[in-house]
Amino acid sequence: MRPILAAVAACALFLAPGCTKIAARDFIREGNNLYANGQYREAIEKYNEAEKLEPDLVTLFWNRACAAESIVLKIKDPNQLADRKVYTDLALSDFKTWLDRAGNEVTEADREVYLNHRLALFDADERCDDLLSYFLERHNQEPKEEGWYTRIAKQYDTCGRTKDADQWFVKRTVDFPTSVRAYLSLAIRKLEKLYPEPDSGVQYNANLSEEERLALANEAIALLDKATMIDHKFIEAYIYRSIAYTQRQLARRYGDDPTQNTANENLNMILAREDGMSAWRQQKAICDIKVEPECPTDKVPEGPCCMLAPRPISPEEEASDAERKKAIEEEIRLLESGAEPEPVKGKGKKGKGQGSK
C-alpha cells in the first residue's frame, strides 16, 4: 500500500485528532463555497458535518449563523413562517455561541456587528417583543439619549401598538422640554393623520370629520409654536407649520356664495383665508431666515433666491376681512344670546353651506 493511501486509511480507522481537524476544515471550506453560491441550506449541512467532527471550531458557528440568516432574509412567503422561525433560532443561537467562545478575541467592533445581526434577525422574523425589550433596555441604560424615544415609538408602531407609540412621542416632549425636535416629531405625528389616502383625489383625510381635522391641525400648530419659541430659526418647524395651516384651511366648512351661508360658514370663509395667509407667511419666514431675496418673475435668477408664491390675498383684502370678521362674530354672539342681529353688509338670506372641498 502506498504511503498516502495508508495515511488515509489510518485516519478513517483511528480518527486521529489531526485528521478530524483536517476533515472538519474541509467541510467548512465546502460549506463556504456553497454559501458563496447562494446554496445556504446545503452549506448548513456541511457545517453540521464539521461540528460533528470538531464541535469546538469557533468559525463554523459564525459561518452557519450567516447561512441561516441568509435563509431568513430571503423568506417572504407567509406559508414558510415556521421554517423562518427555525432558521432564525439557529442563527441567533450560533451567533451567541460564536460570541461566547471567541472570548478575549472579540473586539468592540465585533460586538457591534454581532448586535446588528441579532437585530436584523428579530426584525426579519417579526419578533416585536424582542426588539422592544432591546430598545427599552438601551433606553434604561441611556435615559438621556433622546434618539431612543423615537426608535421605541416606531417599534411600537411596527408592532401595531399605536397608543403606546403615541405615548412615547408625548413622553419625549415631557422629558426633553427644550428639544425642538421633540416637538417637531410629535407635530408630524399629528399631521400624518391628516394626510389623504393614496388616489383619494382630495388633499386631506376624508375619513375624519372637519372637527377632528381642525383639532389635529391646531395641536400641530401649537407644538410647532413651542419649537420656534425655543429656536426661531428652526426651518423645519416653519415647513410643517405651513402644512398645518393648509390642513386647517381645508377643514373649514363654508359655501362659495356668502349670501347663502350661515354666519358660522361666513366666519369659516374668512378664517380659511387667514389660514392661507398664515401658511404663506411660514414660507416667507423661511426665505427671511435664509436671507434670500424673492426670485424674479421676469428673468432667470442670477443666484440663490426664494421661490415664494404670490400672497393669497392683498393687504387691503386682509384688512377688509378683519373688519368683516368682527361684524360676523358679533352677529354670532347675538344669535347665540337670542337677540336679533343687524344684517351684515353684503349678506342676504342665509342658506345651507356647501362645505369646502
Side-chain angles (χ1 to χ4, degrees):
M1 181 181 294
R2 288 183 295 176
I4 189 168
L5 293 179
V8 171
C11 283
L13 182 61
F14 299 111
L15 292 178
C19 295
T20 57
K21 286 185 179 180
I22 292 172
R25 294 182 186 281
D26 285 341
F27 279 126
I28 291 176
R29 190 176 300 109
E30 291 177 32
N32 292 347
N33 290 334
L34 290 166
Y35 176 88
N37 291 328
Q39 297 172 270
Y40 305 122
R41 295 172 192 265
E42 293 82 356
I44 288 173
E45 292 176 4
K46 295 297 181 180
Y47 297 139
N48 290 343
E49 292 300 322
E51 184 183 18
K52 292 176 184 177
L53 297 175
E54 281 293 323
D56 294 328
L57 282 176
V58 176
T59 302
L60 79 86
F61 292 100
W62 180 269
N63 294 3
R64 187 168 63 187
C66 289
E69 182 183 30
S70 297
I71 294 172
V72 171
L73 297 177
K74 288 185 67 176
I75 293 177
K76 306 299 180 185
D77 186 350
N79 296 319
Q80 293 183 298
L81 296 185
D83 206 26
R84 188 179 71 187
K85 181 181 183 306
V86 169
Y87 285 105
T88 300
D89 288 339
L90 174 61
L92 289 170
S93 175
D94 276 356
F95 277 132
K96 185 64 167 62
T97 300
W98 171 85
L99 184 71
D100 293 340
R101 295 191 181 183
N104 295 331
E105 296 181 8
V106 177
T107 65
E108 285 303 314
D110 291 333
R111 291 184 184 279
E112 186 68 22
V113 172
Y114 158 76
L115 178 60
N116 290 337
H117 280 290
R118 184 165 169 253
L119 295 178
L121 285 161
F122 285 157
D123 186 54
D125 200 38
E126 301 178 65
R127 301 193 179 189
C128 284
D129 289 339
D130 288 323
L131 283 167
L132 278 171
S133 295
Y134 169 75
F135 293 132
L136 289 168
E137 180 183 349
R138 289 300 304 271
H139 164 66
N140 290 333
Q141 294 170 353
E142 303 173 295
K144 298 300 182 181
E145 177 53 54
E146 193 176 345
W148 290 121
Y149 286 71
T150 301
R151 192 66 193 85
I152 291 168
K154 289 182 177 180
Q155 189 57 46
Y156 273 123
D157 267 338
T158 302
C159 296
R161 296 168 62 176
T162 305
K163 290 184 178 180
D164 289 316
D166 288 340
Q167 290 174 1
W168 275 88
F169 277 103
V170 173
K171 179 176 170 60
R172 182 180 177 186
T173 64
V174 174
D175 293 350
F176 297 90
T178 60
S179 168
V180 292
R181 294 212 163 270
Y183 293 112
L184 176 68
S185 295
L186 183 54
I188 292 173
R189 180 78 171 175
K190 304 285 185 181
L191 289 173
E192 285 173 346
K193 298 176 182 178
L194 294 171
Y195 297 157
E197 294 181 352
D199 303 321
S200 66
V202 294
Q203 297 175 280
Y204 53 86
N205 184 353
N207 296 316
L208 299 177
S209 67
E210 285 90 352
E211 292 75 16
E212 289 172 321
R213 287 157 50 204
L214 280 170
L216 286 167
N218 285 334
E219 289 171 11
I221 291 167
L223 289 164
L224 295 167
D225 286 347
K226 290 181 179 180
T228 52
M229 285 178 65
I230 297 168
D231 180 0
H232 71 280
K233 292 186 177 182
F234 185 41
I235 288 178
E236 287 178 80
Y238 293 93
I239 293 172
Y240 283 98
R241 193 158 53 194
S242 178
I243 294 171
Y245 278 123
T246 300
Q247 283 295 325
R248 193 167 77 174
Q249 180 182 25
L250 292 170
R252 307 286 190 189
R253 182 177 176 81
Y254 59 89
D256 293 332
D257 184 357
T259 65
Q260 298 300 313
N261 284 341
T262 65
N264 280 308
E265 288 166 348
N266 277 330
L267 180 60
N268 275 342
M269 180 183 290
I270 293 175
L271 292 175
R273 285 155 66 91
E274 287 183 356
D275 289 332
M277 272 304 303
S278 294
W280 180 86
R281 286 193 172 98
Q282 305 310 302
Q283 299 299 321
K284 178 67 167 63
I286 294 171
C287 296
D288 293 341
I289 292 169
K290 292 182 176 180
V291 195
E292 291 180 349
E294 292 187 27
C295 294
T297 58
D298 57 346
K299 62 179 181 179
V300 177
E302 298 178 356
C305 61
C306 176
M307 293 292 293
L308 185 65
R311 281 179 63 110
I313 58 176
S314 68
E316 294 74 20
E317 290 173 316
E318 196 172 6
S320 176
D321 279 353
E323 290 299 317
R324 183 167 171 76
K325 178 181 176 183
K326 291 178 183 178
I328 295 173
E329 287 175 337
E330 176 62 16
E331 179 186 2
I332 292 171
R333 186 188 68 78
L334 291 172
L335 287 170
E336 290 176 347
S337 68
E340 184 67 27
E342 292 290 329
V344 177
K345 184 179 178 181
K347 184 178 186 305
K349 182 181 177 182
K350 291 183 288 186
K352 186 176 181 181
Q354 301 301 309
S356 61
K357 299 294 183 184

